[in-house]
Amino acid sequence: MTPQPDAGGHFGPYGGRYVPEVLMAPIEELEQAYLAARQDPSFQAELDDLLHNYAGRPTPLYFAKRLSESLGGARIWLKREDLLHTGAHKINNCLGQALLARRMGKRRIIAETGAGQHGVATATVCALLGFECVVYMGEEDMRRQRLNVFRMRMLGAKVVGVSNGSRTLKDAISEAMRDWVANVGDTHYLLGSALGAHPYPLMVRDFHKVIGEEARQQILEAEGRLPDEVIACVGGGSNAIGIFYPFVADESVALIGVEAGGRGNTLGEHAARYRGGAPGVLQGAYSFVLQDEDGQIALTHSVSAGLDYAMIGPEHAWLHDRNRAQYTAASDAEALAAARLLSRTEGILPALESSHAVAEAVRRAPEAKGKTLIVNLSGRGDKDIDIYRENFPELEQQ
């Protein structure tokens, strides 16, 4: 049985609504609008049309033959979300929420972004549908993702730098929520991951479950059976819950989420919530959070801006507690090495986020002879070229 939240948006003990009183009415309005839209065939038909003709779905499930041969064990398949318009899975959710915002009569959309891909996808759908667009982004992430900042501005979005705290994703979300509090009448907050107050985790999962639905059908056609393992990187967890969800009822399929192992095991050196985290509330929901002994939210680190977040999505926490999914971590160095290996065996340059999932497949494949693995390649690496250049200086000299 696939998990559904209760009426309060809880997956087991996780999730819920922890928001200021001023946001309760717009959150409830959003829930009612979403539940109505979900049952409206015309809404789904328009979304399906855009996903197909604008975003480029279905994405291929590609057999990584040379990567598989080089590792000498499992057969590795890549779900090519990197081939979608804007370069990542984020466009699925942005199209869905933008259509919902239009249905609700909103004219302004705000968003947060870490790696910039959600910001680019939000700016894209706002240009497509004629919304005013404001994207909040931590200044550290703006430095790391200059290309995506320019892309957002080219698309007509206003990008607002956030200088508070660690100047990364958590701080951008806080600023976006402050904006929403001040402008609830005409503004929709287009949250980019399976996080936040209900109905966001449910809604974001539903808009991304197309990833897993396609992958399930594609692997059955290609291999004649379900995969042994499905692997995805996990920041907040939108790409992972999207590919996991249609496989949850298939007990024979192992679901593996890969967190950011960063540069060490000390708190503040990574973003692996199951390496020292504890249950707590952050930015609208109760889930598993990296925090210190006093309950203060810990600083995080990852070479990948999109995985650099202190909390995991509540549905992931519930899957973990039910032993339905397992969560591991890949270090910065492992992710960088995996990116280089995939580039040189398959001619595919992955996003640094996706490289964490590739790293886990690289780790598992040699001992998994005869098994079939699906890796969700959630984004492409164009946005990360500056970071790759910093970490592979020898390539500048060739």
Side-chain angles (χ1 to χ4, degrees):
M1 179 65 183
T2 51
Q4 296 291 341
D6 65 17
H10 295 91
F11 296 91
Y14 304 109
R17 285 182 180 141
Y18 297 83
V19 295
E21 189 64 32
V22 68
L23 287 181
M24 285 303 291
I27 282 278
E28 290 168 358
E29 176 194 19
L30 177 62
E31 179 187 16
Q32 293 308 310
Y34 174 63
L35 293 177
R38 189 163 65 163
Q39 302 303 317
D40 184 346
S42 65
F43 177 88
Q44 194 59 53
E46 184 174 9
L47 176 58
D48 288 346
D49 178 73
L50 286 170
L51 287 171
H52 177 66
N53 293 307
Y54 185 70
R57 304 211 71 91
T59 58
L61 184 69
Y62 167 73
F63 176 53
K65 183 173 184 289
R66 292 194 66 235
L67 177 65
S68 299
E69 289 175 349
S70 73
L71 297 170
R75 291 170 58 81
I76 300 172
W77 293 78
L78 305 177
K79 182 57 174 162
R80 296 294 307 277
E81 294 298 287
D82 60 310
L83 295 179
L84 282 176
H85 180 43
T86 73
H89 71 291
K90 295 292 188 180
I91 192 74
N92 303 320
N93 171 55
C94 289
L95 284 168
Q97 285 199 49
L99 291 179
L100 187 62
R102 188 184 67 185
R103 181 185 180 101
M104 295 168 66
K106 308 296 184 181
R107 297 308 311 154
R108 179 175 180 267
I109 284 180
I110 59 173
E112 84 300 326
T113 195
Q117 286 302 119
H118 173 61
V120 169
T122 300
T124 297
V125 299
C126 286
L128 176 69
L129 298 176
F131 289 101
E132 179 187 348
C133 181
V134 179
V135 179
Y136 291 91
M137 190 172 190
E139 289 181 349
E140 171 61 15
D141 289 338
M142 290 180 73
R143 181 193 67 79
R144 293 194 286 182
Q145 299 291 342
R146 290 175 295 176
L147 175 63
N148 274 344
V149 172
F150 188 85
R151 290 171 75 192
M152 286 182 267
R153 290 172 174 160
M154 186 79 175
L155 289 158
K158 179 181 179 183
V159 183
V160 179
V162 178
S163 59
N164 302 331
S166 59
R167 300 177 296 134
T168 56
L169 182 59
K170 173 178 68 70
D171 313 293
I173 292 175
S174 295
E175 286 302 314
M177 291 185 74
R178 290 187 187 100
D179 184 318
W180 197 23
V181 166
N183 298 286
V184 291
D186 69 342
T187 296
H188 172 65
Y189 178 19
L190 206 166
L191 184 62
S193 196
L195 299 165
H198 178 65
Y200 281 107
L202 168 67
M203 188 166 62
V204 173
R205 179 199 74 193
D206 284 354
F207 287 139
H208 281 307
K209 69 181 180 180
V210 64
I211 305 170
E213 289 169 348
E214 288 177 5
R216 193 177 189 281
Q217 179 181 347
Q218 289 166 327
I219 197 69
L220 286 171
E221 291 173 357
E223 293 274 5
R225 65 181 184 90
L226 292 172
D228 296 289
E229 300 177 2
V230 175
I231 304 172
C233 65
V234 181
S238 62
N239 91 89
I241 205 65
I243 198 167
F244 287 177
Y245 182 67
F247 290 99
V248 168
D250 302 305
E251 295 289 343
S252 65
V253 180
L255 307 176
I256 298 114
V258 189
E259 299 185 289
R263 59 195 170 206
N265 293 326
T266 307
L267 197 63
E269 295 291 294
H270 61 83
R273 283 62 56 102
Y274 289 106
R275 186 184 288 172
V281 173
L282 178 61
Q283 294 172 328
Y286 178 78
S287 188
F288 224 74
V289 185
L290 284 169
Q291 51 191 305
D292 64 22
E293 294 176 356
D294 299 320
Q296 297 298 306
I297 304 304
L299 294 176
T300 55
H301 163 78
S302 173
V303 70
S304 159
L307 302 185
D308 198 357
Y309 189 63
M311 187 173 83
I312 197 168
E315 189 167 356
H316 284 292
W318 182 225
L319 290 173
H320 174 270
D321 282 9
R322 293 171 60 215
N323 294 315
R324 183 59 195 94
Q326 52 186 295
Y327 295 85
T328 182
S331 69
D332 289 352
E334 289 170 328
L336 288 162
R340 197 165 184 169
L341 178 63
L342 185 63
S343 298
R344 295 191 171 192
T345 55
E346 298 294 344
I348 298 171
L349 179 62
L352 273 164
E353 291 79 12
S354 311
S355 299
H356 287 69
V358 176
E360 183 65 20
V362 169
R363 185 186 301 154
R364 289 169 175 265
E367 305 304 319
K369 198 143 188 83
K371 290 190 174 182
T372 298
L373 314 183
I374 294 178
V375 175
N376 197 26
L377 206 68
S378 55
R380 65 174 176 252
D382 311 37
K383 69 182 179 63
D384 294 316
I385 289 299
D386 283 345
I387 302 174
Y388 285 133
R389 289 177 68 191
E390 289 174 14
N391 284 276
F392 298 129
E394 67 279 9
L395 299 182
E396 300 273 22
Q397 309 304 318
Q398 291 183 359

